Amino acid sequence: MQLRPNQRLKLDDKDDKLFYAYPRFVTHVDEGFIQQLTDLYRDRLKPNTRIFDMMSSWVSHLPEEMQFDHVEGHGLNSEELARNSRLNHYFVQNLNENPQLPLADGDFDAVLNCVSVQYVQYPEAVFSEIYRILKPGGVAIISFSNRMFFEKAIQAWREASEAQRVELVKAYFASVPGFTTVEVIANKSTLPNFLQWLGAAGGDPFYAVIASRS
């Protein structure tokens, strides 16, 4: 799988660091989505392990009762990351400029990416890095809904249906030899589209694409 050059394009092609220069202390999905994500983390993550929260923010949605050996955060706004009480350490890096992570091989038990995969312009490189930093048996959980900063999402994502976006993330995993067969969790919204876009409670669909390093 390799995206064509036009599929990587964004409507706003200015430096991403400018767009994320100011902190946004909000959640970009509704409470129903967040609860499903936290429940998924509770089920799939193990306590006292090492977690990498890629493209994180001021919250990580990890279960409050679970303790981890180390939670490494990454994002584009240092104020948001500094507010995140679950992070033991964080760094700022634009993955669309440099997808290579300053992290050791096989160092993490889990890599998490919540509602941000739509902004990655070079997913082949980023998912290769996810594979590199995972321990054998380590899990990657990519979660998303139908919300986005439209001007910052890549064309391949903007023009795809929800089902096609699931296939896109599956293809990202498949582009890297060594991931297990992916698992998909899809809980579609039953609300009309206009209510979803208005942010009505229970309106956000929940998708998670999961794979492990063999």
Side-chain angles (χ1 to χ4, degrees):
M1 192 286 305
Q2 188 160 356
L3 294 179
R4 298 187 301 276
N6 64 297
Q7 291 181 299
R8 305 180 195 275
L9 296 178
K10 301 183 178 189
L11 296 176
D12 177 2
D13 61 359
K14 295 189 292 293
D15 191 333
D16 291 338
K17 291 194 289 289
L18 297 175
F19 185 81
Y20 295 101
Y22 298 98
R24 296 175 173 88
F25 296 115
V26 297
T27 52
H28 301 289
V29 282
D30 66 14
E31 289 299 319
F33 181 102
I34 292 170
Q35 186 61 58
Q36 290 179 82
L37 182 61
T38 300
D39 289 344
L40 178 63
Y41 287 165
R42 183 178 289 112
D43 182 53
R44 302 304 176 93
L45 303 180
K46 297 177 181 178
N48 306 316
T49 54
R50 293 177 59 82
I51 310 295
F52 178 50
D53 190 7
M54 173 186 283
M55 303 176 77
S56 185
S57 180
W58 65 289
V59 286
S60 290
H61 309 305
L62 295 167
E64 292 183 6
E65 77 278 5
M66 290 186 74
Q67 298 301 313
F68 302 97
D69 280 349
H70 182 87
V71 181
E72 183 78 17
H74 154 265
L76 275 175
N77 186 281
S78 59
E79 290 182 64
E80 290 181 10
L81 295 169
R83 181 81 68 89
N84 190 331
S85 62
R86 296 308 301 265
L87 303 181
N88 299 109
H89 182 264
Y90 64 83
F91 62 96
V92 174
Q93 180 175 322
N94 183 353
L95 297 182
N96 290 328
E97 289 183 351
N98 176 18
Q100 187 169 359
L101 298 168
L103 303 170
D105 294 357
D107 199 30
F108 290 92
D109 298 279
V111 174
L112 313 177
N113 183 292
C114 173
V115 297
S116 297
V117 69
Q118 59 266 32
Y119 308 121
V120 177
Q121 290 179 286
Y122 302 96
E124 308 93 333
V126 169
F127 276 67
S128 180
E129 283 292 280
I130 291 174
Y131 179 84
R132 181 184 66 80
I133 66 172
L134 276 174
K135 298 177 181 178
V139 65
I141 301 174
I142 312 297
S143 59
F144 52 94
S145 188
N146 60 353
R147 298 200 203 188
M148 70 189 89
F149 294 123
F150 197 77
E151 65 273 34
K152 281 298 183 181
I154 64 170
Q155 178 179 302
W157 194 274
R158 294 195 312 270
E159 296 182 351
S161 66
E162 290 182 21
Q164 289 169 333
R165 290 168 184 165
V166 171
E167 294 303 313
L168 200 58
V169 179
K170 288 171 63 177
Y172 294 167
F173 275 117
S175 72
V176 183
F179 276 115
T180 60
T181 302
V182 299
E183 175 189 357
V184 175
I185 298 173
N187 294 324
K188 300 176 183 178
S189 176
T190 57
L191 291 181
N193 286 339
F194 77 95
L195 288 178
Q196 293 182 40
W197 283 104
L198 288 173
D204 287 356
F206 177 85
Y207 296 98
V209 183
I210 306 164
S212 298
R213 175 170 173 160
S214 297

